[in-house]
Amino acid sequence: MAKKAAKPKPKAPSPARGLRILMIASEAQPFSKTGGLADVMAALPKALGRLGHDVTVITPRYRGAPDGPVAGAVAVDVAGYHFRARLLEQIIGTGARVLLLDCPELYDRAGIYHEGGVDYPDNALRYAFLSAAAIDFAAQQAEPFDILHTHDWQGGLAPIYARMLGPQHSSTSALQHSSTSAPQHPSTVLTIHNLAYQGIFEKSWVPRLGLRWDDFTIAGFEFFDRLSFLKAGINFAGAITTVSPTYAEEIERPEYGHALDGVIRARHDRLTGILNGIDLDEWNPAADPHLPEPFDADRLPAKAASKRALLQRFGIEVSDETMVRPIVGMVSRMVDQKGLDLIAAVAEPLASLDATFVIVGTGDPIYQDMWRRLSQWRPDRISAFIGFDEPRAHLVEAGADMFLMPSRFEPCGLNQMYSLRYGTVPIVRAVGGLVDTVRPYNPKNGQGTGFLFSEYEPGAMLRTIETALATFPNKRVWNRLQKNGMRADFSWGRSAAEYVKIYRRLLPARTTRRAPASKG
């Protein structure tokens, strides 16, 4: 009897090749920062690089940013002006680099987006150029990018400009429409970090920025007879992400949709909420250079050294009494979104609680003045630093016992995750990324990582703070809360892998790779 032929062994699946990813963002740590976007742009590219992908971030070179080797140059016409810019390279990790777009006439200014609370009148030009320059750079590459991942309204025009690319692209025509019926452009992803900021400008900018009047519609980028950069990105990107699962649900509702909820519902099938992570190298109490003594979940008593240093840094007397009294910290933009109106409504009873308050932040003058007045009224209990200072921010996260984030809305939030990692128990409103990251304390079983309230109302916030203060003296319960939070996993690895899934889902729709662009 003939032997059966042996079945061939199945071939092992070949590992997926690494992707070439181009990101566009208006800020990136450590080169510029006004909020959480900058932290994401420092951490996400590095996490993707560790997964084997090649990531390039293009961001403006603002005043004070470093020089670096020239990795390229762009030349683009925007709004009747011809701009040339160098791209200065900064390596931030394995497979990850930042290219600083060096165009002094647009970015070498005292502020990033505004001065004295007034937006720069040419912001439409400044950030259209950011997108156009990135697309121009992409078109010059012999090895095309697979993915164009753009962030917030400042990069909202990039998906439109990317569609204009065609085989005949030249280095000075990023805003010209391609005549080809099948443009060879990278697949595009837009991440919404905060829907409240939309980049809305007068419609007279439409032709000046190389956009088509045919797209100035409800299904395009028209927003109450004006031009919306963010709406352009939402409607033209191949995929849309936002920075937490709960926020992705919220922005489809009128109360959080900032008049774009209908637009987002229409693209529901393209929307994914991916929780931000934190940079575990940058935010690590066991190796933080800004702290007087390292600590972790197994060395919690060493956290007291940071509490002592925090009191000293903020000019509050260090004594047995102040070391025992709980410290409530905040590192925040002082704006309504962050719940500062709630604090203002109960400022006097808040200042009368048996707690010390330390604040780092800047924002609306009315709230800056509020904290100054409170600091003068109760200098033994309240101290505010108006401005932003990275070492102080780290010391607040490490030295405070509790961290207050009573946000009206919060797409993701990073400070509550920093707080958890540093054994500083969050007090937050149950909204957006806060409810995705902070588990409510359950006094029956001791589970949870923080204290949450749902109603956006001053009394609800005050009662929750009082509950946390009443729990604090029970050190067994408090230490368990701290350790629960410190052992939670908020690393970028898992989130970066979710982005890769989205990138790869877009790739089958891609046409064949285009030939290297001419640099004529």
Side-chain angles (χ1 to χ4, degrees):
M1 189 169 152
K3 286 185 180 179
K4 267 189 172 180
K7 288 185 179 178
K9 290 183 180 179
K11 290 183 180 178
S14 57
R17 69 172 180 84
L19 301 175
R20 280 176 49 79
I21 303 159
L22 177 64
M23 292 195 181
I24 302 172
S26 59
E27 51 188 88
Q29 271 277 67
F31 314 107
S32 57
K33 178 173 178 174
T34 67
L37 169 63
D39 296 288
V40 173
M41 297 316 300
L44 176 57
K46 289 191 284 187
L48 290 167
R50 287 192 292 270
L51 293 177
H53 306 288
D54 181 77
V55 187
T56 296
V57 179
I58 294 185
T59 191
R61 185 193 186 200
Y62 300 109
R63 183 175 297 175
D67 205 340
V70 177
V74 293
V76 179
D77 295 317
V78 186
Y81 299 97
H82 185 68
F83 294 103
R84 292 181 178 273
R86 302 179 303 160
L87 291 159
L88 309 179
E89 185 176 58
Q90 298 284 338
I91 303 298
I92 60 171
T94 302
R97 63 174 179 167
V98 169
L99 298 183
L100 297 171
L101 183 63
D102 187 27
C103 187
E105 58 264 52
L106 293 180
Y107 306 121
D108 184 12
R109 302 181 183 181
I112 291 182
Y113 308 119
H114 52 75
E115 283 183 48
V118 178
D119 286 349
Y120 291 121
D122 61 346
N123 273 349
L125 171 61
R126 298 171 76 222
Y127 294 106
F129 175 69
L130 172 62
S131 288
I135 300 303
D136 188 84
F137 174 76
Q140 297 176 31
Q141 305 309 298
E143 175 70 12
F145 288 101
D146 298 293
I147 295 292
L148 172 66
H149 186 167
T150 192
H151 297 262
D152 270 352
W153 75 260
Q154 294 89 347
L157 298 188
I160 297 178
Y161 290 164
R163 293 184 180 205
M164 297 175 182
L165 288 179
Q168 306 307 315
H169 180 88
S170 72
S171 63
T172 59
S173 62
L175 303 186
Q176 295 175 4
H177 291 273
S178 167
S179 59
T180 180
S181 59
Q184 306 290 302
H185 57 78
S187 299
T188 54
V189 178
L190 168 74
T191 294
I192 302 169
H193 294 260
N194 192 333
L195 192 67
Y197 300 95
Q198 299 180 4
I200 298 171
F201 303 97
E202 295 304 320
K203 64 183 178 182
S204 58
W205 282 102
V206 170
R208 298 176 65 196
L209 299 182
L211 304 174
R212 301 188 312 163
W213 283 115
D214 287 352
D215 293 322
F216 190 71
T217 65
I218 292 176
F221 42 68
E222 183 269 337
F223 186 79
F224 296 98
D225 205 38
R226 303 179 79 192
L227 162 65
S228 169
F229 277 40
L230 186 61
K231 187 177 179 184
I234 292 169
N235 277 330
F236 287 89
I240 307 156
T241 72
T242 193
V243 289
S244 71
T246 295
Y247 192 61
E249 296 171 4
E250 290 174 342
I251 60 177
E252 295 191 34
R253 306 201 303 263
E255 60 265 41
Y256 296 106
H258 298 279
L260 285 175
D261 50 289
V263 178
I264 294 168
R265 285 196 301 273
R267 303 217 75 202
H268 173 84
D269 61 326
R270 301 297 182 103
L271 176 65
T272 307
I274 300 175
L275 188 68
N276 282 340
I278 60 174
D279 188 332
L280 299 185
D281 296 327
E282 178 73 15
W283 294 93
N284 179 7
D288 191 327
H290 301 299
L291 308 188
E293 187 176 334
F295 67 93
D296 55 28
D298 297 320
R299 293 176 290 171
L300 258 181
K303 181 177 164 71
S306 290
K307 184 170 185 175
R308 184 176 296 106
L310 179 62
L311 292 168
Q312 291 171 338
R313 180 73 64 89
F314 279 79
I316 297 173
E317 180 186 1
V318 178
S319 66
D320 290 344
E321 182 182 357
T322 56
M323 286 295 292
V324 170
R325 183 185 299 134
I327 296 179
V328 180
M330 286 188 77
V331 179
S332 175
R333 284 184 292 115
M334 296 179 182
V335 294
D336 284 349
Q337 181 212 325
K338 297 296 183 179
L340 269 292
D341 55 333
L342 295 185
I343 293 172
V346 291
E348 289 195 20
L350 197 69
S352 300
L353 294 174
D354 188 20
T356 301
F357 290 84
V358 293
I359 317 299
V360 174
T362 184
D364 292 347
I366 186 174
Y367 296 130
Q368 294 182 166
D369 292 342
M370 175 191 74
W371 283 117
R372 289 191 183 102
R373 288 195 306 272
L374 291 171
S375 297
Q376 291 164 3
W377 177 42
R378 298 298 305 267
D380 59 327
R381 295 291 185 94
I382 300 174
S383 181
F385 178 83
I386 306 302
F388 184 77
D389 180 81
E390 191 75 21
R392 282 180 190 263
H394 281 249
L395 197 54
V396 169
E397 293 289 6
D401 298 292
M402 307 168 195
F403 194 93
L404 181 59
M405 287 184 74
S407 304
R408 180 185 296 269
F409 64 93
E410 193 63 62
C412 177
L414 296 175
N415 281 101
Q416 82 279 10
M417 290 188 270
Y418 301 153
S419 299
L420 290 166
R421 184 155 170 77
Y422 281 66
T424 299
V425 177
I427 304 169
V428 303
R429 182 162 176 253
V431 67
L434 300 179
V435 79
D436 287 335
T437 51
V438 181
R439 293 185 290 113
Y441 165 62
N442 184 338
K444 293 181 179 178
N445 58 19
Q447 295 300 310
T449 58
F451 297 84
L452 293 86
F453 64 99
S454 297
E455 190 178 357
Y456 194 76
E457 192 271 325
M461 178 194 71
L462 188 60
R463 288 190 295 273
T464 305
I465 295 172
E466 290 171 338
T467 298
L469 295 177
T471 307
F472 179 73
N474 187 331
K475 293 307 176 188
R476 182 183 62 81
V477 169
W478 198 261
N479 286 347
R480 183 167 181 176
L481 273 170
Q482 290 177 295
K483 290 180 178 181
N484 287 347
M486 296 180 84
R487 289 168 176 157
D489 179 10
F490 295 117
S491 61
W492 264 107
R494 186 183 308 169
S495 299
E498 292 301 310
Y499 278 108
V500 173
K501 289 179 185 177
I502 289 173
Y503 298 158
R504 293 203 182 278
R505 281 203 299 267
L506 292 173
L507 292 183
R510 293 277 313 278
T511 51
T512 56
R513 293 187 180 276
R514 65 177 181 274
S518 165
K519 293 187 181 181

